[in-house]
Amino acid sequence: MTNNPAVVASAYGEPDVLTLIDAERPTPGPGEVLIEVRAGGINPLDYKLYSGMMGNDPAALPMRLGLEVSGVVAEIGPEQPESDALAVGDAVLADRVKGGYAAYVVADRGDVFAKPETLSFEAASGLLVVGATAVDLLTTTDVTAGDTVLVHGASGGVGSLVVQLAVARGARVIGTAGAHRHDEVRQLGAEPIAYGEGLADRVRALAPDGIDVALDTVGTEEAVDTSAELVTDRGRIATIANFVQAPALGIQVLTGAGPSAEVRARSRQLLVDLASAGALLVKVDRTFPLSQAAQAHTYLKTGKAQGKLALIP
Ligand SMILES: NC(=O)c1ccc[n+]([C@@H]2O[C@H](COP(=O)([O-])OP(=O)(O)OC[C@H]3O[C@@H](n4cnc5c(N)ncnc54)[C@H](OP(=O)(O)O)[C@@H]3O)[C@@H](O)[C@H]2O)c1
């Protein structure tokens, strides 16, 4: 069956390689769920995958995109256990999908969660990838009550979740952000601070007793250098975006592989529960129709988005 509008990268390159095709509507197998997508969450990794910066194997083209979605259960694969209450029509969110930029996508049952009523479909499509990454950062560096934590990129998708989860653990959080986003960061419970020249001195002035943990969601040399300068214990510094200078400085680089995979997988129900309780905010900047995936990615690349982006089929 066709009639499944979907976005593919037809080549490696800039966002103009993104095109809308009429794909097969998938059929869920045992242990799978077909989701009618209401919002396809956009992550920076989606762009990196077809940009060529992570490889350019021609065999991977055309490349379906989109790691996470929210939507409504359209069909449940055969052999659903009786104990499973999931039903057609349920509002859900899912990650680890292959090709979420589409009208329909299949997900493994274990990657499908009930959508918190507190989140719109747009916001729900942006919870799991950034949230699981944030939990991984906090778990790896063992953030706990009483810690003073420096978060680079506190206004970003991952950073804003790191801030909220660290504050919930009882930590004091100092977060870097552009001046126009300091109010947002403050509302999440952190103390905002400008990035750029003199960062380490500004942090010292705010936290004369020192920084226990530094978490980098930005990847600049400034972020890793400042972290290394301010935090003595390298085991309590982690980055998700600097793969160049961080390893030489002894800073942990988290990619989602190794022990992180299990931490991230296990974190998802907690994230859904916290969001359902109204304890986690996911800010959405803008949505685009599926047919405007290229425009959405061009906007993502400007770095001007103030919140998550999503594609609406
Ligand atoms: N390794 C992993 O497992 C993993 C997982 C998820 C994401 N990532 C990567 O992590 C990065 C962040 O992802 P995201 O979804 O949070 O992106 P995002 O929502 O676009 O956020 C990026 C943030 O970076 C901030 N920023 C921009 N320039 C900066 C600078 N010079 N100094 C300090 N902050 C700056 C921006 O703050 P202002 O708007 O306030 O300027 C913005 O809030 C991306 O590179 C992504 O690919 C890695």
Side-chain angles (χ1 to χ4, degrees), residues 42-45 48 129-130 133 136 152-159 176-181 195-196 217-218 220 222-223 239-241 243 254-256 264 300 303-308:
I42 295 180
N43 286 286
L45 178 60
K48 292 179 183 177
V129 170
V130 294
T133 308
D136 190 16
H152 300 278
S155 57
V158 179
T176 71
H180 60 300
R181 305 192 68 185
Y195 48 76
T217 73
V218 177
T220 54
E222 172 187 81
T239 179
I240 55 164
F243 305 93
L254 305 182
T255 62
R264 293 187 192 199
L300 174 76
K304 293 196 171 134
Q306 296 188 28
K308 298 293 294 178

Side-chain angles (χ1 to χ4, degrees), residues 131-141 254-256 259-261 263-264 267:
T133 308
V135 171
D136 190 16
L137 281 163
L138 296 170
T139 306
T140 303
T141 54
L254 305 182
T255 62
S260 289
V263 170
R264 293 187 192 199
S267 72

Side-chain angles (χ1 to χ4, degrees), residues 11-313:
Y12 290 97
E14 294 298 315
D16 60 6
V17 302
L18 299 183
T19 39
L20 197 62
I21 62 161
D22 188 17
E24 289 283 316
R25 186 181 301 184
T27 304
E32 292 182 337
V33 176
L34 179 69
I35 299 172
E36 183 188 332
V37 178
R38 293 289 164 84
I42 295 180
N43 286 286
L45 178 60
D46 303 345
Y47 162 68
K48 292 179 183 177
L49 284 171
Y50 70 83
S51 69
M53 73 171 77
M54 297 179 72
N56 54 5
D57 179 4
L61 298 174
M63 186 190 293
R64 292 281 299 272
L65 297 168
L67 305 165
E68 61 181 332
V69 298
S70 66
V72 172
V73 174
E75 194 181 333
I76 296 173
E79 300 165 31
Q80 183 187 20
E82 269 180 34
S83 55
D84 184 3
L86 190 75
V88 169
D90 283 359
V92 292
L93 67 169
D95 67 346
R96 304 176 179 208
V97 300
K98 296 179 182 71
Y101 292 5
Y104 291 89
V105 72
V106 157
D108 282 345
R109 172 66 186 96
D111 297 328
V112 177
F113 302 86
K115 183 182 86 63
E117 285 181 10
T118 50
L119 297 183
S120 64
F121 279 105
E122 292 82 357
S125 74
L127 172 67
L128 293 178
V129 170
V130 294
T133 308
V135 171
D136 190 16
L137 281 163
L138 296 170
T139 306
T140 303
T141 54
D142 197 21
V143 170
T144 183
D147 281 333
T148 301
V149 181
L150 174 64
V151 179
H152 300 278
S155 57
V158 179
S160 61
L161 269 290
V162 170
V163 169
Q164 294 175 77
L165 293 163
V167 168
R169 288 184 182 208
R172 175 190 179 195
V173 183
I174 295 170
T176 71
H180 60 300
R181 305 192 68 185
H182 281 196
D183 281 347
E184 248 178 83
V185 170
R186 200 173 287 114
Q187 277 163 19
L188 297 176
E191 295 160 62
I193 191 168
Y195 48 76
E197 209 180 323
L199 173 60
D201 289 339
R202 283 193 296 282
V203 176
R204 279 195 196 93
L206 258 184
D209 291 338
I211 297 292
D212 301 300
V213 176
L215 304 173
D216 168 38
T217 73
V218 177
T220 54
E221 207 169 339
E222 172 187 81
V224 290
D225 283 350
T226 308
S227 300
E229 192 179 329
L230 295 174
V231 179
T232 326
D233 180 354
R234 291 290 196 271
R236 304 201 81 193
I237 309 176
T239 179
I240 55 164
N242 184 305
F243 305 93
V244 181
Q245 292 93 9
L249 290 167
I251 291 174
Q252 307 192 65
V253 180
L254 305 182
T255 62
S260 289
E262 182 58 23
V263 170
R264 293 187 192 199
R266 272 192 282 110
S267 72
R268 298 172 299 167
Q269 188 61 58
L270 169 77
L271 292 163
V272 168
D273 292 346
L274 284 171
S276 298
L280 276 186
L281 293 177
V282 178
K283 187 180 173 203
V284 177
D285 174 284
R286 204 180 284 187
T287 65
F288 294 81
L290 201 52
S291 57
Q292 288 180 17
Q295 287 92 326
H297 276 228
T298 301
Y299 179 57
L300 174 76
K301 284 188 67 192
T302 64
K304 293 196 171 134
Q306 296 188 28
K308 298 293 294 178
L309 306 177
L311 293 174
I312 310 299

